[in-house]
Amino acid sequence: MAFFRGLTAVSRLRSRMAQEATTLGGVRWLQMQTASDLDLKSQLQELIPEQQDRLKKLKSEHGKVQLGNITVDMVLGGMRGMTGMLWETSLLDPDEGIRFRGLSIPECQKVLPTAVKGGEPLPEGLLWLLLTGKVPTKEQVDALSKELLARSTVPAHVYKAIDALPVNAHPMTQFTTGVMALQVESEFQKAYDNGLPKSKFWEPTYEDCLNLIARLPPVASYVYRRIFKGGKSIEADNSLDYAANFSHMLGFDDPKMLELMRLYVTIHTDHEGGNVSAHTGHLVGSALSDPYLSFAAALNGLAGPLHGLANQEVLLWIKSVIDETGSDVTTDQLKDYVWKTLKSGKVVPGFGHGVLRKTDPRYSCQREFALKHLPEDPLFQLVSKLYEVVPLILTELGKVKNPWPNVDAHSGVLLNHFGLSEARYYTVLFGVSRSMGIGSQLIWDRALGLPLERPKSVTMEWLENYCKNKAA
């Protein structure tokens, strides 16, 4: 994709965002950042009181407004379609895809600072956007990069905890163990034990979240090098940004791979609050568990094959296609293999989504990256053929609400191209990325004083009796 297509496009976007901010009654979400303040925490301190007032007003004036009806299908179907939680950092539209603080992925690619001219957005910029609702300057992003680097030292006991596990333990098991070992450093737990007032809970939560985000790349890269590279770790390069340094510590220094990692981390940061990992982090955090405990729980949800493990399954499935049909697979052969997969009772990994009803924009931007940097890659060409074949078959099948590809359909192929071919590790990359979204929302959960989550559950007998009474 070509980014920064002239100052005119950016100027139009600046104007639209400023107008949107005005229509929100002076709330400064979606404004271009012009303040000279480079300190992220001070920006939050300024924003929190007005958002607290906004929440109080919303509750007092509209607290009894109904948001919809709950059906038995929703109760039995994984609560899909229910509106039941507040998640400030992003919103997912079934047709349009994800918006981070109101900005689509293409808009983020246009306005967020980059490491190289015309390149991919820096994840630090999106973290700033998620936390403040403001698009940061390059200077603010650079300052945040330095702050994260300063926070990134991992205590030795964390590595010892990981080393206590068998080397062949799943990468997510080792990664989550590392996060749990980091928990002894929790500022929130110390402050809570010392009687910190509730109005200040957000401050140690902020410290924990930024420390956690900063320390995940060293922990994650240690897991990768331990399992796949004989335990030979690579030191951080203090001149690099967050995502590039992560790639470097993994052992990949190709400039295109650095750009891919910037894109990957950015688009995987957040996907509103209803997905398993985000909801788990929010749920556990609502009990005032500190960010380390909350995020470790979120990672365990992410590790499931119906959530973050799917990106691993996609690449393995694509390779199984090649193993059976050869690398020069025809469209007819591909159709036959897709039908074979479906008739065996399995799904085609990387297609469909619980909310989206069109092609995932996260898939689209990865496809554009591939067209720009690796158009001749055989696996990419196979993914392109799948894009033409699978949706038609799933539509014909008639059981799938969304036959279109999701984010997982593409990411493994890109990583594989640059040498990161160990599919079992891919969910760890997802986890590092998702820390920014979950961490940002946890900070706002504490700043807004959101309560303990406690929905009502019922039995099948209760449902049967209720439905009988309604029909009488």
Side-chain angles (χ1 to χ4, degrees):
M1 174 180 287
F3 306 123
F4 295 88
R5 296 188 180 108
L7 293 175
T8 303
V10 176
S11 298
R12 285 199 300 268
L13 186 58
R14 288 175 187 261
S15 176
R16 180 180 70 78
M17 292 161 69
Q19 290 171 359
E20 289 182 10
T22 302
T23 62
L24 288 173
V27 177
R28 285 167 293 184
W29 307 125
L30 307 184
Q31 289 184 352
M32 296 297 289
Q33 178 62 260
T34 57
S36 59
D37 195 341
L38 301 182
D39 181 52
L40 178 57
K41 191 172 183 179
S42 67
Q43 295 273 323
L44 277 173
Q45 285 174 324
E46 182 183 340
L47 290 167
I48 284 171
E50 67 185 31
Q51 294 308 303
Q52 291 171 333
D53 291 341
R54 185 183 180 193
L55 182 70
K56 290 176 184 176
K57 182 179 180 181
L58 186 63
K59 190 171 182 179
S60 64
E61 294 183 1
H62 307 292
K64 304 302 180 185
V65 174
Q66 294 186 1
L67 296 178
N69 296 316
I70 296 175
T71 66
V72 173
D73 278 342
M74 291 177 175
V75 174
L76 300 180
M79 299 193 290
R80 294 187 183 226
M82 289 186 189
T83 300
M85 65 185 298
L86 183 68
W87 193 270
E88 285 290 278
T89 51
S90 63
L91 185 67
L92 181 59
D93 181 87
D95 296 317
E96 195 174 40
I98 193 65
R99 281 187 174 270
F100 304 114
R101 292 291 193 179
L103 297 182
S104 67
I105 288 175
E107 288 171 339
C108 286
Q109 289 177 306
K110 287 185 176 72
V111 301
L112 288 178
T114 63
V116 296
K117 186 177 181 180
E120 303 297 343
L122 289 161
E124 297 94 314
L126 188 60
L127 175 59
W128 190 291
L129 175 66
L130 294 177
L131 278 168
T132 69
K134 300 178 182 181
V135 175
T137 64
K138 183 62 162 63
E139 291 74 20
Q140 288 167 325
V141 169
D142 288 344
L144 181 54
S145 292
K146 292 177 181 178
E147 180 180 355
L148 291 174
L149 183 63
R151 292 173 178 265
S152 65
T153 301
V154 177
H157 75 264
V158 175
Y159 298 125
K160 290 179 181 178
I162 296 171
D163 287 341
L165 295 169
V167 174
N168 63 356
H170 193 280
M172 283 297 285
T173 303
Q174 299 192 41
F175 184 45
T176 306
T177 298
V179 172
M180 288 297 295
L182 283 169
Q183 190 274 338
V184 300
E185 303 283 312
S186 174
E187 296 296 330
F188 179 84
Q189 183 188 47
K190 296 172 189 174
Y192 185 84
D193 290 345
N194 290 329
L196 184 74
K198 185 177 180 180
S199 62
K200 299 289 186 180
F201 280 179
W202 76 269
E203 295 183 20
T205 300
Y206 174 91
E207 297 301 324
D208 277 356
C209 286
L210 261 68
N211 285 339
L212 176 62
I213 291 167
R215 293 168 187 174
L216 288 180
V219 172
S221 59
Y222 183 84
V223 170
Y224 176 77
R225 304 291 301 182
R226 179 176 188 254
I227 298 173
F228 302 110
K229 302 298 177 182
K232 298 178 181 178
S233 298
I234 298 174
E235 293 295 319
D237 182 340
N238 294 347
S239 68
L240 294 174
D241 56 86
Y242 182 89
N245 212 354
F246 184 22
S247 180
H248 165 73
M249 288 186 287
L250 289 170
F252 303 97
D253 291 308
D254 184 326
K256 293 180 180 179
M257 178 60 172
L258 304 188
E259 277 291 276
L260 173 60
M261 193 63 77
R262 292 171 185 130
L263 175 65
Y264 183 99
V265 175
T266 296
I267 65 174
H268 284 81
T269 53
D270 205 27
H271 215 232
E272 77 168 27
N275 63 76
V276 171
S277 56
H279 188 190
T280 301
H282 173 79
L283 171 64
V284 176
S286 78
L288 296 186
S289 299
D290 65 61
Y292 296 96
L293 297 175
S294 302
F295 187 65
L299 286 177
N300 286 325
L302 190 69
L306 295 183
H307 191 20
L309 203 69
N311 56 8
Q312 165 185 315
E313 299 300 312
V314 169
L315 185 61
L316 295 177
W317 184 83
I318 289 175
K319 288 184 175 181
S320 74
V321 174
I322 295 174
D323 289 342
E324 180 160 322
T325 65
S327 57
D328 192 22
V329 57
T330 67
T331 300
D332 286 339
Q333 286 177 313
L334 197 53
K335 288 179 180 178
D336 290 341
Y337 194 85
V338 170
W339 276 115
K340 177 183 175 182
T341 299
L342 294 171
K343 289 177 179 178
S344 70
K346 299 177 182 178
V347 299
V348 179
F351 286 80
H353 191 273
V355 177
L356 286 168
R357 294 297 173 259
K358 290 189 177 179
T359 298
D360 192 335
R362 298 172 299 173
Y363 171 93
S364 300
C365 69
Q366 290 182 100
R367 175 173 170 77
E368 291 184 13
F369 184 95
L371 287 169
K372 179 179 180 181
H373 295 294
L374 47 130
E376 303 303 320
D377 182 272
L379 290 184
F380 167 60
Q381 293 180 347
L382 178 53
V383 166
S384 297
K385 288 182 179 179
L386 287 169
Y387 188 34
E388 298 173 1
V389 169
V390 175
L392 294 176
I393 292 176
L394 293 179
T395 301
E396 181 182 341
L397 194 64
K399 296 180 180 180
V400 180
K401 292 181 179 179
N402 173 22
W404 304 107
N406 58 48
V407 64
D408 298 316
H410 220 307
S411 55
V413 168
L414 297 178
L415 296 166
N416 183 80
H417 176 83
F418 291 106
L420 211 172
S421 58
E422 297 86 358
R424 293 177 72 234
Y425 184 77
Y426 289 171
T427 312
V428 176
L429 300 176
F430 199 158
V432 173
S433 309
R434 189 50 61 90
S435 67
M436 292 191 175
I438 292 175
S440 295
Q441 185 58 43
L442 278 173
I443 294 168
W444 276 105
D445 287 349
R446 299 289 75 81
L448 296 173
L450 297 187
L452 176 71
E453 185 176 314
R454 178 58 171 88
K456 180 74 176 76
S457 64
V458 294
T459 64
M460 284 197 288
E461 181 181 10
W462 187 97
L463 286 172
E464 290 165 347
N465 290 335
Y466 182 88
C467 293
K468 287 177 185 178
N469 291 334
K470 288 288 287 186

